Amino acid sequence: MSDLMPNLPNQTPNYYTPETNSEASFHPERPIKYKPVNESVKVYVWELPVRIFHWVNMLAIILLMITGVYIGKPFASASIPEEAYYSNLMGWMRYIHFFAAFLFTVNLLFRLYWVFKGNKFSTSNPLRWVFWKEVFQTIKFYLFLKNKKPHYIGHNPLAQLSYWIFIGLGSWIVMLTGFYMYTEPQHASFWGKLFSWVPYIFGGDSYTIRSWHHLAAWGFMLFTLIHVYMAFRDDYLERNGSISSMLTGYKVEPKKLVGGKDEK
Amino acid sequence: MKRQKTVYEAAIDHGFTRRDFLKMCTALAATLGLEYTQSDKVVKAMETNTRVPVIWMQFQDCTGCSESFIRSSQPKTESVLLDMISLEYSEVLSAPSGFQVESSMEQVYKDYKGEYIIAVEGSIPDDDSFLSVGGKSAKDTFIKMAEGAKAIIAYGSCSSWGGVAAAYPNPTGAKPITAHVKNTPVILVPGCPPIAEVMTGVIAYIITFGKFPELDHLGRPTSFYRHRIHDKCNRRAYFDAGLFVENFDDEGAKQGYCLYKVGCKGPTTYNSCAEMRWNGGVSYPIQSGNPCIGCSEKGFWDNGPFFERRAKIPGTQTTINPDEVGLAALGLTAAGIAVHAAGTVVKKKKDDKRGEEE
Ligand code: HEM
Ligand code: SF4
């Protein structure tokens, strides 16, 4: 529990300027928690539930990717030929896929709850003009162009946007189409009825729904690759412990970012 | 309005005994998915209901639906045609032709307005020059007849979804008949062609109960279209085991393995082939070694090659091999990342140097 809500100084700085950037002016009622370390502070960024979500999500997605690709294109066959009786290879793949899918779903629903419960780094609001201005600056930053991208403790707006697209939208596409396929053998059951509306958004027939699922799955794989690269890159450039922060929760940041006085 | 004979009277006239008649009703009840105890309902209906006038219209089709229909084993096509319905117009089965048969369609429209049923085979083109029957625009004839009908049965994938004629780029502007129906109820019986017993079963249900059977969200009778082929397939055990035909001439094909990898569309196809089978229950495509092509599904004609597993890009008629495209995208992204990473290192080195010099 101590890890969940660490007892850190969090007095709201009196000279805090809401104009600084989209992060500083975001949810001022959810103050940033940090620990001073010489010139820098150790900021508590990723709360324990967020970290647990992150790694459970990773595990689920890896399982889903491997088993999902197998389901789509069975790249291995059962080792005992002729009789179906002795093997259950596809059966197991589907079983693991569905197990991971439930894990993925429960995990994501929990994370949605934490958006309301957690600190300011656990949520995002793209409906602010400054958000999009900073997305633009961040894009310039990634293209090595001259930019006015401020430094962020949490995710930069472009990263937040990518989470909206892949975790926000992508997850719902795979979940809805996935659960629809899952209930296809029993449309008349309770669970079948629960997802009976899915074809109306994804376009009628079963083949199209399956196609959505398969394409969105590849979207996840692309995202994973870029996401991992970005995390390592950030760690390399900022030396702020981006990678380890997803384990410990803390990032080392200059004091002025959390509103503290710069001693220099 | 003229009075038609009841189904019972017609059957007796055709040399049925009462016993034959009862047998027919019991078998019919089974086909309709009713409990045994409900077969007396069917008997009662057949004794009192009069034969229903039916107009069988053909548009952009191949007559395959008619071919299938005339091979029904249960209920027998003869008993449907001779006892239950009174087929007033059919390009394939009507004895008269030319003006004579066209005028009998007119006659039905006048005599049985609001009573008759239309069975439709084939899609309707937007452009009249592609299809006129008896010198008249087929679309206009259909719209007029549809207004006066009690109900419409869309037999086959062309009348239900547009069918092969609607395949990209759809030169005739083929549309399913539902595009031209306003207030008349329509039941869809898709398939290329539909199973004979499903075709006769649907019509028998309508005649027995005077209403449509339960329909699903696409307007198909649930009793025949509620399951995927994949869920009832005789090769399903091989699917779960992970034993797949890789080639049509390999050992797996001889052993009867699952046809998933040679493009089987069973997992996305709703039809009763795996349960009712064809030709009086003899076999069906998958049983005889051919992957399901998904012929009863909307858009099956544009869902890519029949013998390959693909994914459709939603909103288009283009299919891709998702794993090939996905891997290529992954490779491109990895290459992009390598370049970007190199750029990042170079830039950081430069910036660090400048920082030291300052
Ligand atoms: C809640 C989430 C998910 C659910 C409920 C779900 C469910 C399903 C179901 C039911 C199938 C069809 C299996 C069959 O017919 O035998 C399937 C296939 C598949 N799933 Fe998922 N899935 C989910 C998430 C994911 C994710 C996150 C990925 C990948 C990153 C993924 C990748 C795939 C792939 C590639 C297929 C094969 C599609 C095809 O055959 O064309 N799924 N999934
Ligand atoms: S043959 Fe087709 S329908 Fe049958 S189990 Fe294999 S994939 Fe499914």
Side-chain angles (χ1 to χ4, degrees), chain A residues 71-74 77-78 80-84 87-91 94 142 144 184-185 187 200 205-207 210-212 214-215 218 222 225-226 229 233 236-237, chain B residues 217 228 231 236-242 244 255 257 260-261 268 270 297-298 303 309-312 314 322-323 326 330 333 337 340-341 343-345 347-348:
Chain A
I71 297 167
K73 190 181 171 70
S77 291
I80 307 167
E82 298 193 19
E83 282 300 323
S87 326
N88 191 30
L89 187 57
M90 178 60 96
R94 294 181 69 235
Y142 281 119
F144 305 116
E184 269 191 306
H187 284 298
Y200 294 106
D205 59 317
S206 179
Y207 184 74
R210 221 181 150 92
S211 301
W212 269 107
H214 206 135
L215 297 176
W218 277 101
L222 289 181
L225 192 64
I226 297 172
Y229 166 64
R233 182 179 188 273
Y236 168 76
L237 285 183
Chain B
H217 67 293
R228 294 181 303 175
D231 294 322
R236 179 59 188 263
Y238 291 102
F239 175 85
D240 289 332
F244 302 100
Q255 295 285 349
Y257 290 178
Y260 191 64
K261 288 179 87 172
T268 51
Y270 288 81
E297 285 292 304
K298 192 175 178 177
N303 283 351
R309 270 189 66 68
R310 289 249 182 132
K312 183 177 191 160
D323 301 317
L330 214 56
T333 311
I337 284 178
H340 198 264
T344 305
V345 173
K347 181 145 192 303
K348 167 128 173 134

Coordinates of all heavy atoms in Angstrom, one line a residue, chain A residues 71-74 77-78 80-84 87-91 94 142 144 184-185 187 200 205-207 210-212 214-215 218 222 225-226 229 233 236-237, chain B residues 217 228 231 236-242 244 255 257 260-261 268 270 297-298 303 309-312 314 322-323 326 330 333 337 340-341 343-345 347-348:
Chain A
I71 N -4.0 -19.1 -35.4 CA -5.4 -19.3 -35.8 C -5.6 -18.9 -37.2 O -6.2 -19.6 -38.0 CB -6.4 -18.6 -34.8 CG1 -6.2 -19.2 -33.4 CG2 -7.8 -18.8 -35.3 CD1 -6.9 -18.3 -32.4
G72 N -5.0 -17.7 -37.6 CA -5.2 -17.2 -38.9 C -4.5 -18.0 -40.0 O -5.0 -18.1 -41.1
K73 N -3.4 -18.5 -39.6 CA -2.5 -19.2 -40.6 C -1.8 -20.3 -39.9 O -0.6 -20.1 -39.4 CB -1.6 -18.2 -41.3 CG -0.8 -18.8 -42.5 CD 0.1 -17.6 -43.0 CE 1.0 -18.1 -44.0 NZ 0.4 -18.4 -45.3
P74 N -2.4 -21.5 -39.7 CA -1.7 -22.5 -38.9 C -0.4 -22.9 -39.5 O -0.3 -23.6 -40.5 CB -2.7 -23.6 -38.9 CG -4.0 -23.1 -39.4 CD -3.6 -21.9 -40.3
S77 N 1.6 -28.2 -37.9 CA 0.6 -29.2 -37.9 C 0.8 -30.1 -36.7 O 1.9 -30.2 -36.2 CB 0.6 -30.0 -39.2 OG 0.2 -29.2 -40.2
A78 N -0.3 -30.8 -36.3 CA -0.1 -31.8 -35.3 C 0.9 -32.9 -35.7 O 1.1 -33.2 -36.9 CB -1.5 -32.5 -35.0
I80 N 1.1 -36.1 -34.8 CA 0.5 -37.4 -35.0 C -0.5 -37.3 -36.2 O -1.5 -36.7 -36.0 CB -0.2 -38.0 -33.8 CG1 0.8 -37.9 -32.6 CG2 -0.6 -39.4 -34.0 CD1 0.1 -38.1 -31.2
P81 N -0.1 -37.9 -37.3 CA -1.0 -37.8 -38.5 C -2.2 -38.8 -38.4 O -2.3 -39.5 -37.5 CB -0.1 -38.1 -39.6 CG 0.9 -39.0 -39.1 CD 1.1 -38.7 -37.6
E82 N -3.0 -38.7 -39.4 CA -4.2 -39.6 -39.7 C -5.3 -39.4 -38.7 O -6.4 -39.0 -39.2 CB -3.7 -41.0 -39.7 CG -2.7 -41.2 -40.9 CD -2.5 -42.7 -41.2 OE1 -3.3 -43.5 -40.8 OE2 -1.5 -43.0 -41.9
E83 N -5.1 -39.6 -37.4 CA -6.3 -39.6 -36.5 C -6.3 -38.2 -35.8 O -5.4 -37.8 -35.2 CB -6.2 -40.7 -35.5 CG -6.6 -42.1 -36.0 CD -8.0 -42.1 -36.5 OE1 -8.9 -41.4 -35.9 OE2 -8.3 -42.7 -37.6
A84 N -7.5 -37.6 -35.8 CA -7.7 -36.4 -35.1 C -7.7 -36.6 -33.6 O -7.5 -35.7 -32.8 CB -9.0 -35.7 -35.5
S87 N -4.6 -35.4 -31.1 CA -4.0 -34.1 -31.0 C -5.1 -33.0 -30.7 O -6.3 -33.3 -31.0 CB -3.3 -33.7 -32.2 OG -2.6 -34.8 -32.8
N88 N -4.7 -31.9 -30.2 CA -5.6 -30.8 -30.1 C -4.8 -29.5 -30.2 O -5.0 -28.5 -29.4 CB -6.2 -30.8 -28.7 CG -7.4 -29.9 -28.5 OD1 -8.1 -29.6 -29.5 ND2 -7.6 -29.4 -27.3
L89 N -4.0 -29.4 -31.3 CA -3.1 -28.2 -31.4 C -3.9 -26.9 -31.6 O -3.7 -26.0 -30.8 CB -2.2 -28.5 -32.6 CG -1.1 -27.5 -32.8 CD1 -0.2 -27.3 -31.5 CD2 -0.2 -27.9 -34.0
M90 N -4.8 -26.9 -32.6 CA -5.6 -25.7 -32.8 C -6.5 -25.5 -31.6 O -6.7 -24.3 -31.2 CB -6.4 -25.9 -34.1 CG -7.3 -24.7 -34.4 SD -6.5 -23.1 -34.6 CE -6.3 -23.1 -36.4
G91 N -6.9 -26.5 -31.1 CA -7.8 -26.4 -29.9 C -7.1 -25.6 -28.8 O -7.6 -24.7 -28.2
R94 N -6.5 -21.9 -29.7 CA -7.8 -21.2 -29.5 C -8.0 -21.0 -28.0 O -8.4 -19.9 -27.5 CB -8.9 -21.8 -30.2 CG -8.8 -21.8 -31.7 CD -10.0 -22.5 -32.4 NE -11.2 -21.7 -32.3 CZ -12.3 -22.1 -31.8 NH1 -12.4 -23.3 -31.4 NH2 -13.3 -21.3 -31.7
Y142 N 10.3 14.5 -33.5 CA 10.7 13.1 -34.0 C 11.2 13.1 -35.4 O 11.9 12.2 -35.8 CB 9.5 12.2 -33.9 CG 9.3 11.7 -32.5 CD1 8.1 12.0 -31.8 CD2 10.3 11.0 -31.8 CE1 7.9 11.5 -30.5 CE2 10.1 10.5 -30.5 CZ 8.9 10.8 -29.9 OH 8.8 10.4 -28.6
F144 N 13.3 15.3 -36.4 CA 14.6 16.0 -36.3 C 14.5 17.4 -36.8 O 15.4 18.0 -37.3 CB 15.7 15.3 -37.0 CG 15.9 13.9 -36.6 CD1 15.7 12.8 -37.5 CD2 16.3 13.6 -35.2 CE1 15.9 11.5 -37.1 CE2 16.5 12.3 -34.9 CZ 16.3 11.2 -35.8
E184 N -20.2 -16.5 -31.9 CA -20.8 -16.9 -33.2 C -21.5 -18.3 -33.1 O -22.6 -18.4 -33.7 CB -19.8 -16.9 -34.4 CG -19.8 -15.5 -35.0 CD -19.1 -15.5 -36.3 OE1 -17.9 -15.9 -36.3 OE2 -19.7 -15.1 -37.4
P185 N -20.9 -19.3 -32.5 CA -21.7 -20.6 -32.5 C -23.0 -20.5 -31.7 O -23.8 -21.4 -31.9 CB -20.7 -21.5 -31.8 CG -19.3 -20.9 -32.0 CD -19.6 -19.4 -32.0
H187 N -25.5 -17.7 -31.2 CA -26.1 -16.4 -31.3 C -27.3 -16.2 -30.3 O -27.5 -15.1 -29.8 CB -26.6 -16.1 -32.7 CG -25.5 -15.8 -33.6 ND1 -24.7 -14.7 -33.5 CD2 -25.1 -16.4 -34.7 CE1 -23.8 -14.6 -34.4 NE2 -24.0 -15.7 -35.2
Y200 N -23.4 -4.4 -36.9 CA -24.0 -3.2 -37.4 C -22.9 -2.1 -37.5 O -22.9 -1.2 -38.4 CB -25.1 -2.7 -36.6 CG -26.3 -3.6 -36.6 CD1 -26.7 -4.4 -35.6 CD2 -27.1 -3.6 -37.8 CE1 -27.7 -5.2 -35.7 CE2 -28.2 -4.4 -37.9 CZ -28.5 -5.2 -36.8 OH -29.6 -6.1 -36.9
D205 N -21.4 -8.9 -42.5 CA -21.1 -10.3 -42.6 C -19.9 -10.7 -41.8 O -19.0 -9.9 -41.4 CB -20.9 -10.8 -44.0 CG -19.8 -10.0 -44.7 OD1 -19.7 -8.8 -44.6 OD2 -19.0 -10.7 -45.4
S206 N -19.9 -12.0 -41.5 CA -18.9 -12.6 -40.6 C -17.5 -12.4 -41.1 O -16.5 -12.2 -40.4 CB -19.3 -14.1 -40.5 OG -18.4 -14.8 -39.7
Y207 N -17.3 -12.5 -42.4 CA -16.0 -12.4 -43.1 C -15.4 -11.1 -42.8 O -14.2 -10.9 -42.5 CB -16.2 -12.7 -44.6 CG -14.9 -12.8 -45.3 CD1 -14.0 -13.8 -45.2 CD2 -14.5 -11.7 -46.2 CE1 -12.8 -13.9 -45.9 CE2 -13.3 -11.8 -46.9 CZ -12.5 -12.8 -46.8 OH -11.3 -12.9 -47.5
R210 N -14.3 -10.8 -39.2 CA -13.0 -11.5 -39.0 C -11.8 -10.7 -39.6 O -10.7 -10.7 -39.1 CB -13.1 -12.9 -39.7 CG -12.6 -14.0 -38.9 CD -12.7 -15.3 -39.7 NE -11.6 -16.2 -39.3 CZ -11.7 -17.0 -38.4 NH1 -12.7 -17.2 -37.6 NH2 -10.6 -17.8 -38.1
S211 N -12.1 -10.1 -40.8 CA -11.0 -9.3 -41.4 C -10.6 -8.1 -40.5 O -9.4 -7.9 -40.4 CB -11.5 -8.8 -42.8 OG -11.8 -9.9 -43.6
W212 N -11.6 -7.4 -40.0 CA -11.3 -6.3 -39.1 C -10.4 -6.8 -37.9 O -9.4 -6.2 -37.6 CB -12.6 -5.9 -38.4 CG -13.3 -4.8 -39.1 CD1 -14.5 -4.9 -39.8 CD2 -13.0 -3.4 -39.1 NE1 -14.9 -3.6 -40.3 CE2 -13.9 -2.7 -39.9 CE3 -11.9 -2.6 -38.6 CZ2 -13.9 -1.3 -40.1 CZ3 -11.9 -1.3 -38.8 CH2 -12.9 -0.6 -39.6
H214 N -8.4 -9.4 -37.8 CA -7.1 -9.8 -38.2 C -6.2 -8.5 -38.6 O -5.0 -8.5 -38.2 CB -7.2 -10.7 -39.5 CG -6.0 -11.6 -39.7 ND1 -6.2 -12.9 -40.0 CD2 -4.7 -11.4 -39.5 CE1 -5.0 -13.5 -40.0 NE2 -4.1 -12.6 -39.8
L215 N -6.8 -7.6 -39.2 CA -6.1 -6.4 -39.6 C -5.7 -5.6 -38.3 O -4.6 -5.1 -38.2 CB -6.9 -5.5 -40.5 CG -7.1 -6.2 -41.9 CD1 -8.0 -5.3 -42.8 CD2 -5.8 -6.5 -42.6
W218 N -2.7 -6.9 -36.6 CA -1.4 -6.5 -37.1 C -1.1 -5.1 -36.7 O 0.1 -4.7 -36.5 CB -1.4 -6.7 -38.6 CG -1.0 -8.0 -39.0 CD1 -1.8 -9.1 -39.4 CD2 0.3 -8.6 -38.9 NE1 -1.1 -10.2 -39.6 CE2 0.2 -10.0 -39.3 CE3 1.6 -8.1 -38.6 CZ2 1.3 -10.8 -39.3 CZ3 2.7 -9.0 -38.6 CH2 2.5 -10.3 -39.0
L222 N 2.5 -3.7 -35.0 CA 3.2 -2.5 -35.4 C 3.4 -1.6 -34.2 O 4.5 -1.1 -34.0 CB 2.5 -1.8 -36.6 CG 2.4 -2.5 -37.9 CD1 1.7 -1.6 -38.9 CD2 3.9 -2.7 -38.4
L225 N 6.1 -2.7 -31.8 CA 7.4 -2.5 -32.2 C 7.8 -1.0 -32.0 O 8.9 -0.7 -31.4 CB 7.5 -2.8 -33.7 CG 8.9 -2.9 -34.3 CD1 9.7 -4.0 -33.7 CD2 8.8 -3.1 -35.9
I226 N 7.0 -0.1 -32.4 CA 7.3 1.3 -32.3 C 7.3 1.7 -30.9 O 8.2 2.5 -30.4 CB 6.2 2.1 -33.1 CG1 6.2 1.8 -34.6 CG2 6.4 3.6 -32.9 CD1 5.1 2.4 -35.4
Y229 N 10.6 0.7 -29.2 CA 11.7 1.6 -29.7 C 11.6 2.9 -29.0 O 12.6 3.5 -28.6 CB 11.6 1.7 -31.2 CG 12.4 2.9 -31.8 CD1 13.8 2.8 -31.7 CD2 11.8 4.0 -32.4 CE1 14.6 3.9 -32.1 CE2 12.6 5.0 -32.8 CZ 14.0 5.0 -32.7 OH 14.7 6.0 -33.2
R233 N 14.4 4.8 -26.8 CA 15.0 6.0 -27.3 C 14.9 7.1 -26.3 O 15.8 7.9 -26.0 CB 14.2 6.4 -28.6 CG 14.6 7.7 -29.2 CD 13.8 7.9 -30.5 NE 14.4 9.0 -31.3 CZ 14.1 10.3 -31.1 NH1 13.3 10.7 -30.1 NH2 14.6 11.2 -31.8
Y236 N 17.4 6.7 -23.6 CA 18.7 7.1 -24.1 C 18.9 8.6 -24.2 O 19.9 9.1 -23.8 CB 18.9 6.4 -25.5 CG 20.1 6.9 -26.3 CD1 21.4 6.5 -26.0 CD2 19.9 7.8 -27.4 CE1 22.4 6.9 -26.7 CE2 21.0 8.2 -28.1 CZ 22.2 7.8 -27.8 OH 23.3 8.2 -28.5
L237 N 17.9 9.3 -24.7 CA 18.0 10.7 -24.9 C 18.0 11.5 -23.5 O 18.7 12.4 -23.3 CB 17.0 11.2 -25.8 CG 17.1 11.0 -27.3 CD1 16.0 11.6 -28.0 CD2 18.5 11.5 -27.8
Chain B
H217 N -31.1 -11.2 -38.1 CA -31.0 -9.8 -38.3 C -30.8 -9.4 -39.8 O -31.0 -8.3 -40.2 CB -29.8 -9.2 -37.5 CG -28.5 -9.7 -37.9 ND1 -28.1 -11.0 -37.7 CD2 -27.4 -9.1 -38.5 CE1 -26.9 -11.2 -38.2 NE2 -26.4 -10.0 -38.7
R228 N -22.9 -21.7 -38.3 CA -21.9 -21.7 -39.3 C -21.6 -23.1 -39.8 O -21.7 -24.1 -39.0 CB -20.6 -21.1 -38.7 CG -20.7 -19.6 -38.4 CD -19.4 -19.1 -37.8 NE -18.9 -19.9 -36.7 CZ -17.7 -19.7 -36.1 NH1 -16.9 -18.8 -36.6 NH2 -17.4 -20.4 -35.1
D231 N -19.2 -24.9 -37.5 CA -19.6 -25.4 -36.2 C -20.2 -26.7 -36.3 O -20.4 -27.4 -35.3 CB -20.6 -24.4 -35.6 CG -19.9 -23.1 -35.2 OD1 -18.8 -23.1 -34.8 OD2 -20.6 -22.0 -35.4
R236 N -14.4 -31.0 -38.6 CA -14.0 -30.1 -37.5 C -13.0 -30.7 -36.6 O -12.1 -30.0 -36.0 CB -15.3 -29.7 -36.8 CG -15.0 -28.7 -35.6 CD -14.3 -27.4 -36.1 NE -13.9 -26.6 -34.9 CZ -14.6 -25.6 -34.4 NH1 -15.7 -25.2 -35.0 NH2 -14.1 -24.9 -33.4
A237 N -13.1 -32.0 -36.3 CA -12.2 -32.6 -35.4 C -10.7 -32.5 -35.9 O -9.8 -32.3 -35.1 CB -12.5 -34.1 -35.3
Y238 N -10.5 -32.5 -37.2 CA -9.2 -32.3 -37.8 C -8.7 -30.8 -37.6 O -7.6 -30.5 -37.4 CB -9.2 -32.7 -39.2 CG -9.3 -34.1 -39.4 CD1 -10.5 -34.7 -39.8 CD2 -8.2 -35.0 -39.2 CE1 -10.7 -36.1 -40.0 CE2 -8.4 -36.4 -39.4 CZ -9.6 -36.9 -39.8 OH -9.7 -38.2 -39.9
F239 N -9.7 -29.9 -37.6 CA -9.4 -28.5 -37.4 C -8.8 -28.3 -36.0 O -7.7 -27.8 -35.8 CB -10.6 -27.6 -37.6 CG -10.4 -26.2 -37.2 CD1 -9.9 -25.3 -38.2 CD2 -10.7 -25.7 -36.0 CE1 -9.7 -23.9 -37.9 CE2 -10.5 -24.3 -35.7 CZ -10.0 -23.5 -36.6
D240 N -9.5 -28.8 -35.0 CA -9.1 -28.7 -33.6 C -7.8 -29.4 -33.4 O -7.0 -29.0 -32.6 CB -10.2 -29.2 -32.7 CG -11.4 -28.2 -32.7 OD1 -11.2 -27.0 -32.9 OD2 -12.5 -28.7 -32.4
A241 N -7.6 -30.6 -34.0 CA -6.4 -31.3 -33.9 C -5.2 -30.6 -34.5 O -4.1 -30.8 -34.0 CB -6.6 -32.7 -34.5
G242 N -5.4 -29.8 -35.5 CA -4.3 -29.2 -36.2 C -3.8 -30.0 -37.3 O -2.7 -30.0 -37.6
F244 N -4.2 -30.3 -41.3 CA -4.8 -29.6 -42.4 C -4.3 -30.1 -43.7 O -3.2 -30.5 -43.9 CB -4.4 -28.1 -42.3 CG -4.8 -27.5 -41.0 CD1 -3.9 -27.3 -39.9 CD2 -6.1 -27.0 -40.8 CE1 -4.3 -26.7 -38.8 CE2 -6.5 -26.4 -39.6 CZ -5.6 -26.3 -38.6
Q255 N -6.8 -38.3 -46.4 CA -7.2 -38.7 -45.1 C -8.5 -37.9 -44.7 O -9.1 -38.3 -43.7 CB -6.1 -38.4 -44.1 CG -4.9 -39.2 -44.3 CD -5.1 -40.7 -43.8 OE1 -6.1 -41.0 -43.2 NE2 -4.1 -41.5 -44.1
Y257 N -8.5 -34.5 -44.0 CA -8.2 -33.4 -43.0 C -9.0 -32.2 -43.3 O -9.6 -32.0 -44.4 CB -6.7 -33.0 -43.1 CG -5.8 -34.1 -42.6 CD1 -4.4 -33.8 -42.7 CD2 -6.2 -35.3 -42.0 CE1 -3.5 -34.8 -42.2 CE2 -5.3 -36.2 -41.6 CZ -3.9 -36.0 -41.7 OH -3.0 -36.9 -41.2
Y260 N -9.2 -25.8 -44.1 CA -9.0 -24.4 -43.7 C -7.9 -23.8 -44.5 O -8.1 -22.7 -45.0 CB -8.6 -24.5 -42.2 CG -8.6 -23.1 -41.5 CD1 -9.7 -22.4 -41.3 CD2 -7.4 -22.7 -40.9 CE1 -9.7 -21.2 -40.6 CE2 -7.4 -21.5 -40.2 CZ -8.5 -20.8 -40.0 OH -8.5 -19.6 -39.3
K261 N -6.8 -24.4 -44.6 CA -5.6 -23.8 -45.3 C -5.7 -23.8 -46.8 O -4.9 -23.1 -47.4 CB -4.3 -24.5 -44.9 CG -3.9 -24.2 -43.4 CD -2.7 -24.9 -43.0 CE -1.4 -24.1 -43.3 NZ -0.2 -24.7 -42.7
T268 N -16.8 -18.6 -41.7 CA -17.5 -17.3 -41.8 C -18.8 -17.5 -42.6 O -19.4 -16.5 -43.1 CB -16.7 -16.3 -42.5 OG1 -16.1 -16.8 -43.7 CG2 -15.5 -15.8 -41.6
Y270 N -22.8 -18.9 -42.9 CA -24.0 -19.4 -42.3 C -24.9 -20.1 -43.3 O -25.3 -19.5 -44.2 CB -24.8 -18.2 -41.6 CG -24.1 -17.7 -40.4 CD1 -23.0 -16.8 -40.5 CD2 -24.5 -18.1 -39.2 CE1 -22.4 -16.3 -39.4 CE2 -23.8 -17.6 -38.0 CZ -22.8 -16.7 -38.2 OH -22.1 -16.3 -37.1
E297 N -23.1 -16.3 -48.3 CA -22.7 -15.1 -47.6 C -22.8 -13.9 -48.5 O -22.4 -13.9 -49.7 CB -21.3 -15.2 -47.0 CG -21.2 -16.1 -45.8 CD -21.9 -15.5 -44.6 OE1 -21.6 -14.4 -44.2 OE2 -22.8 -16.2 -44.0
K298 N -23.2 -12.7 -47.9 CA -23.2 -11.5 -48.7 C -21.8 -11.2 -49.2 O -20.8 -11.2 -48.4 CB -23.6 -10.4 -47.7 CG -24.0 -9.1 -48.3 CD -24.5 -8.2 -47.2 CE -24.9 -6.9 -47.7 NZ -25.4 -6.0 -46.6
N303 N -14.9 -11.9 -52.1 CA -14.1 -12.2 -50.9 C -12.8 -12.9 -51.2 O -12.3 -13.7 -50.4 CB -14.9 -13.0 -49.9 CG -15.9 -12.1 -49.1 OD1 -15.9 -10.9 -49.2 ND2 -16.8 -12.7 -48.4
R309 N -6.9 -18.4 -47.9 CA -7.4 -17.6 -46.8 C -7.0 -16.2 -46.9 O -5.8 -15.9 -47.0 CB -6.9 -18.2 -45.5 CG -7.8 -19.3 -44.9 CD -7.4 -19.7 -43.5 NE -7.5 -18.6 -42.6 CZ -8.7 -18.1 -42.2 NH1 -9.8 -18.7 -42.6 NH2 -8.8 -17.1 -41.3
R310 N -7.9 -15.3 -46.8 CA -7.5 -13.9 -47.0 C -8.3 -13.0 -46.0 O -9.2 -13.5 -45.3 CB -7.9 -13.4 -48.4 CG -7.0 -14.0 -49.5 CD -6.2 -12.9 -50.0 NE -5.4 -13.3 -51.1 CZ -5.3 -12.6 -52.3 NH1 -6.1 -11.6 -52.5 NH2 -4.5 -13.0 -53.2
A311 N -8.0 -11.7 -46.0 CA -8.8 -10.8 -45.2 C -9.2 -9.7 -46.1 O -8.5 -9.3 -47.0 CB -8.0 -10.3 -44.0
K312 N -10.4 -9.2 -45.9 CA -10.9 -8.1 -46.7 C -10.6 -6.8 -46.1 O -10.7 -6.6 -44.8 CB -12.5 -8.3 -46.8 CG -13.2 -7.4 -47.7 CD -14.7 -7.8 -47.6 CE -15.5 -7.1 -48.7 NZ -16.7 -7.9 -48.9
P314 N -11.9 -3.6 -44.9 CA -13.3 -3.2 -44.7 C -13.6 -2.0 -45.6 O -12.8 -1.1 -45.8 CB -13.3 -2.8 -43.3 CG -12.2 -3.6 -42.6 CD -11.1 -3.7 -43.7
P322 N -3.4 -11.1 -45.1 CA -3.1 -10.1 -44.0 C -1.7 -10.4 -43.4 O -1.0 -9.5 -43.0 CB -4.2 -10.4 -43.0 CG -4.7 -11.8 -43.3 CD -4.5 -12.0 -44.8
D323 N -1.3 -11.7 -43.4 CA 0.0 -11.9 -42.8 C 1.2 -11.5 -43.6 O 2.2 -11.0 -43.1 CB 0.1 -13.4 -42.4 CG -1.1 -13.8 -41.5 OD1 -1.4 -13.0 -40.5 OD2 -1.7 -14.8 -41.7
G326 N 1.1 -7.8 -43.4 CA 1.5 -7.4 -42.0 C 3.0 -7.6 -41.8 O 3.6 -6.7 -41.2
L330 N 5.7 -4.7 -41.0 CA 6.5 -4.8 -39.8 C 8.0 -4.6 -40.2 O 8.7 -3.9 -39.6 CB 6.3 -6.2 -39.2 CG 6.4 -6.4 -37.7 CD1 5.5 -5.5 -37.0 CD2 6.2 -7.8 -37.3
T333 N 8.6 -1.0 -41.0 CA 8.6 -0.2 -39.8 C 10.0 -0.4 -39.1 O 10.6 0.5 -38.6 CB 7.5 -0.7 -38.8 OG1 6.3 -0.7 -39.5 CG2 7.4 0.3 -37.6
I337 N 12.7 2.3 -38.2 CA 13.2 2.5 -36.8 C 14.7 2.5 -36.8 O 15.4 3.3 -36.2 CB 12.7 1.4 -35.9 CG1 11.2 1.7 -35.6 CG2 13.5 1.3 -34.7 CD1 10.5 0.6 -34.8
H340 N 15.8 5.8 -38.1 CA 15.5 6.8 -37.1 C 16.5 6.7 -35.9 O 16.9 7.8 -35.4 CB 14.1 6.7 -36.6 CG 13.5 7.9 -36.0 ND1 13.5 8.1 -34.6 CD2 13.0 9.1 -36.5 CE1 13.0 9.2 -34.3 NE2 12.6 9.9 -35.4
A341 N 16.8 5.5 -35.5 CA 17.7 5.3 -34.3 C 19.0 5.9 -34.7 O 19.7 6.6 -33.9 CB 17.7 3.8 -34.0
G343 N 19.8 8.2 -36.8 CA 19.6 9.6 -36.8 C 19.6 10.2 -35.4 O 20.3 11.2 -35.1
T344 N 19.0 9.5 -34.5 CA 18.9 9.9 -33.1 C 20.3 10.0 -32.5 O 20.6 10.9 -31.8 CB 18.0 9.0 -32.3 OG1 16.7 8.9 -33.0 CG2 17.8 9.5 -30.9
V345 N 21.0 8.9 -32.7 CA 22.4 8.8 -32.1 C 23.3 9.9 -32.6 O 23.9 10.6 -31.9 CB 23.0 7.4 -32.4 CG1 24.4 7.4 -31.9 CG2 22.2 6.3 -31.7
K347 N 22.4 12.8 -33.9 CA 22.0 14.1 -33.4 C 22.4 14.3 -32.0 O 22.9 15.3 -31.6 CB 20.5 14.2 -33.6 CG 19.9 15.5 -33.2 CD 18.8 16.0 -34.0 CE 18.4 17.5 -33.8 NZ 18.1 17.8 -32.4
K348 N 22.2 13.2 -31.2 CA 22.6 13.4 -29.8 C 24.1 13.6 -29.6 O 24.5 14.5 -28.8 CB 22.2 12.1 -29.1 CG 22.7 12.0 -27.6 CD 21.7 11.7 -26.6 CE 22.3 11.4 -25.3 NZ 21.7 12.1 -24.2

